[in-house]
Amino acid sequence: AFRIMKALDLQYPLESAVAMLEDEDMYCRLQAIDVLRKNGSSRAVDALAKALQDKFWGVAAEAARALGEVGTAEAVSRLIEAYGRVMHPRVRRAIVEALGAARRREAAEFLDKVLHDPNESYYVRSEATRSLGKIKWDFAEHSLRKALECPSHLDVIKRGALEGLAELGTEDALKIVLRHTEPDVSTPVRMTAVQALAKFGARRDVLEVVKRAMRDENFRVRYAAVTAALELLDPRLLPDLQERVEQDIDGRIRRMAREVADKIKKFMDR
């Protein structure tokens, strides 16, 4: 996957940044996108929209994320317009991710269509579930409930729907996520559900399930529980993390449990 390794706080004039999008050097084009992201003007949005057609998918994906961070109605409109023209699946996923970051109603309505389009790729639809949850649209929960029934490779749509429901954070959403932590659920889905519980905060019912998952016979579920503990940072999980440090047969889990326990102790000392 494409990753930016270093970010600099650059100060280029707006028109210089627009011109830099035509540079042959990929890093120069990425610098321009960063400047335009911070500018956020209509001229910047127009330039970023054109960058969605960049010859390298990584630059186009960064332009999409930049438009999502700008988050204006104009930026959202340009993302939606570009979606139908962009063919690279990673750029399409970045557009869907960016629409979630914008958190606008018109973005939610579009994401709902993407999510339930059987001709769209599983992974783009999965990204749409997470974005839909972030927007907290009135009909998001209904849409995500439907998505739980969508078959997909490795249940990626169902897992995304659970993450989207966790972003919503409602009581009904919590009940659904808790149900998917049960032993009769497939391992990938259980892992996602256990990790998603952290989004609901350190409430008693969440902590009980995370603690129980730390003792699960499946090491992937235990690992997911320790990951959830890292987000929760709740001192009530220290005895359970210490138990993993001392007793877990998997070295990766022992190491991570120790690191999470140390972070919780540092958090308590603040």
Side-chain angles (χ1 to χ4, degrees), residues 12 15 31 38 43 55 72 74 78 141 173 180 188 192 201 264 267 269:
Y12 291 112
E15 291 304 321
Q31 287 179 319
K38 293 170 183 174
R43 176 73 171 120
K55 58 187 175 183
T72 61
E74 182 185 8
R78 301 304 289 270
E141 189 168 314
H180 285 83
T192 298
I264 292 175
F267 185 73
D269 291 338

Side-chain angles (χ1 to χ4, degrees), residues 49-67:
K50 290 178 181 177
L52 292 171
Q53 304 295 327
D54 194 275
K55 58 187 175 183
F56 176 50
W57 71 264
V59 173
E62 280 305 306
R65 295 186 185 100
L67 284 167

Side-chain angles (χ1 to χ4, degrees), residues 181 187 190-198 206-216 218-234 237 240-241 244 248 253 256-257 260 264:
T181 65
T187 296
R190 286 185 73 202
M191 288 174 60
T192 298
V194 169
Q195 286 183 233
L197 284 175
V206 166
L207 292 177
E208 285 176 358
V209 175
V210 171
K211 288 180 177 189
R212 185 165 66 246
M214 283 195 205
R215 298 180 177 85
D216 198 271
N218 190 312
F219 83 91
R220 290 183 174 87
V221 175
R222 298 198 305 276
Y223 192 89
V226 175
T227 302
L230 176 59
E231 187 169 345
L232 289 165
L233 290 178
D234 193 282
L237 293 171
D240 306 274
L241 289 165
R244 290 303 94 211
D248 206 285
I253 294 176
M256 186 173 182
V260 175
I264 292 175

Side-chain angles (χ1 to χ4, degrees), residues 250-267:
D250 191 288
R252 292 165 294 183
I253 294 176
R254 292 197 303 271
R255 181 172 60 254
M256 186 173 182
R258 184 180 298 109
E259 291 172 357
V260 175
D262 288 343
K263 286 187 178 181
I264 292 175
K265 290 171 185 175
K266 289 178 182 177
F267 185 73

